[in-house]
Amino acid sequence: MLTVKRDVFIRERKKEERHKCYVDDKVSKVAWLNRSNIIYAGQDKWSLDPRVDLVTKGQLEYSLRIQKVDVYDEGSYTCSIQTKQQPKTSQVYLIVQVPADIYKVSEDITVNEGSNLTLSCLASGRPDPAINWRLLNPSAEPLDGEEYLDIIGIMRNQAGRYECKASNDVATPDVKYVNVVVSYPPTIKKTQSSETPVGRMGTLQCDATAVPTPEFEWYRDEKRLSNAQGINIQILGTTTILMIANVTEEDYGNYTCVASNRLGVQNASLFLYSRDINGSALYLNHWLLLACFACLFFKC
């Protein structure tokens, strides 16, 4: 009688695997073979592989043990016996499963808005792993892509941390991340002019968005302003504040905030003004009058 444990599934990282072959006392000869190569004939070892040995318990078990199993061990193993009547064989097939492993992934990258981008994530494993991408924004919805994720005309809201996950249900999925920075020119999102009486402090504020972070400049007419007596310029990330101490009538007028980075420039006009006793904006009325004279002169 011959009994062999059938198909065997094993992870590559498992320490050992044993193919169990049970025989009875009527068997005169027994052997283990792999791909027609003799591993053991009786108690004699023919294989040179030190990881392979024989396990016998009493006279009935004749088992083959493989330690430190490798993918190259996968295949058919045959337990062959000889009885007085006839030879018999029985096979067990060793299937080696390997956990998913991401061996190559794109490095962190900075691209300009509107560019095309391809992220790669290469993984190995047995069976072949499935690869999935997500952008880890609040929704973290799956993206269409496998080994390669193509992004056409990337926008600023597509910047962030991209997750690549490789899984084949053998072990915990392997996960890697790619940080994508999207650069774009400045956009001034908010300005705050100031109504300030003479003798008080006037404050003008300008907020911009940009990547890289914008640099700011302030102008009065064509003159660039800097920190000097009575003027204080603060830059707090993407916000700049112009403070004018002890405002005089000469300080009233148009001021220009300029935001710039290597991709572009944007500017905006702000006003420092006061009101007369009737509630009209003095500075703005003066500018309206000048505009009317210019229109008449140029016949607009």
Side-chain angles (χ1 to χ4, degrees):
M1 178 179 178
L2 170 64
T3 304
V4 176
K5 185 180 178 183
R6 294 294 179 178
D7 293 350
V8 178
F9 296 83
I10 182 172
R11 298 179 186 176
E12 182 186 20
R13 295 173 185 171
K14 190 175 179 181
K15 293 182 179 179
E16 67 176 48
E17 174 58 24
R18 183 181 301 178
H19 305 310
K20 296 180 180 181
C21 184
Y22 296 96
V23 298
D24 58 23
D25 53 6
K26 297 178 182 180
V27 173
S28 58
K29 294 181 181 180
V30 63
W32 271 106
L33 299 90
N34 173 233
R35 303 182 186 93
S36 75
N37 297 318
I38 298 176
I39 304 173
Y40 268 92
Q43 300 295 321
D44 297 329
K45 183 177 181 180
W46 289 42
S47 172
L48 299 177
D49 191 338
R51 300 175 303 121
V52 178
D53 64 352
L54 201 60
V55 177
T56 57
K57 291 182 179 180
Q59 297 180 346
L60 298 182
E61 182 177 352
Y62 185 75
S63 298
L64 183 70
R65 180 171 58 190
I66 305 173
Q67 302 185 64
K68 298 180 181 178
V69 176
D70 188 89
V71 291
Y72 301 107
D73 296 319
E74 182 168 301
S76 178
Y77 291 79
T78 303
C79 180
S80 177
I81 66 169
Q82 178 68 48
T83 66
K84 294 179 180 179
Q85 289 77 21
Q86 61 181 357
K88 294 182 179 180
T89 62
S90 188
Q91 290 185 334
V92 58
Y93 196 92
L94 175 63
I95 299 175
V96 180
Q97 296 181 326
V98 182
D101 176 56
I102 298 174
Y103 61 86
K104 185 176 182 181
V105 67
S106 295
E107 296 182 353
D108 295 347
I109 189 171
T110 299
V111 295
N112 293 341
E113 189 173 43
S115 301
N116 297 333
L117 174 64
T118 298
L119 301 179
S120 63
C121 181
L122 307 181
S124 61
R126 293 167 65 96
D128 292 336
I131 297 177
N132 297 287
W133 287 93
R134 292 192 305 167
L135 172 57
L136 299 182
N137 53 18
S139 62
E141 296 178 356
L143 302 173
D144 292 332
E146 296 181 353
E147 289 185 335
Y148 298 96
L149 176 65
D150 294 319
I151 305 173
I152 307 300
I154 192 168
M155 303 301 291
R156 64 191 68 178
N157 62 355
Q158 293 175 290
R161 196 179 196 202
Y162 284 77
E163 175 193 83
C164 170
K165 178 185 291 186
S167 58
N168 61 1
D169 297 327
V170 176
T172 302
D174 194 15
V175 180
K176 295 288 188 295
Y177 301 95
V178 183
N179 294 307
V180 176
V181 176
V182 178
S183 299
Y184 53 92
T187 299
I188 295 178
K189 306 295 289 185
K190 179 182 178 182
T191 60
Q192 183 176 317
S193 296
S194 177
E195 176 190 348
T196 307
V198 171
R200 304 293 294 274
M201 175 176 286
T203 301
L204 305 177
Q205 181 173 321
C206 180
D207 298 335
T209 60
V211 175
T213 302
E215 297 181 357
F216 290 101
E217 295 176 350
W218 283 95
Y219 288 85
R220 171 77 187 278
D221 298 327
E222 300 297 324
K223 181 182 177 181
R224 181 180 176 182
L225 302 178
S226 59
N227 288 315
Q229 186 174 4
I231 293 179
N232 182 21
I233 298 175
Q234 295 184 359
I235 298 176
L236 307 171
T238 58
T239 298
T240 180
I241 300 173
L242 173 65
M243 293 183 290
I244 303 171
N246 194 23
V247 168
T248 65
E249 290 189 0
E250 287 74 20
D251 295 320
Y252 293 138
N254 178 48
Y255 291 79
T256 302
C257 166
V258 179
S260 64
N261 65 12
R262 60 180 177 81
L263 296 177
V265 180
Q266 189 172 54
N267 59 64
S269 293
L270 297 87
F271 300 96
L272 181 66
Y273 61 96
S274 67
R275 296 182 181 274
D276 60 18
I277 58 175
N278 296 318
S280 300
L282 290 176
Y283 166 71
L284 294 180
N285 287 344
H286 294 163
W287 271 94
L288 181 61
L289 184 60
L290 289 174
C292 291
F293 281 132
C295 188
L296 289 172
F297 181 77
F298 291 105
K299 296 181 180 180
C300 60

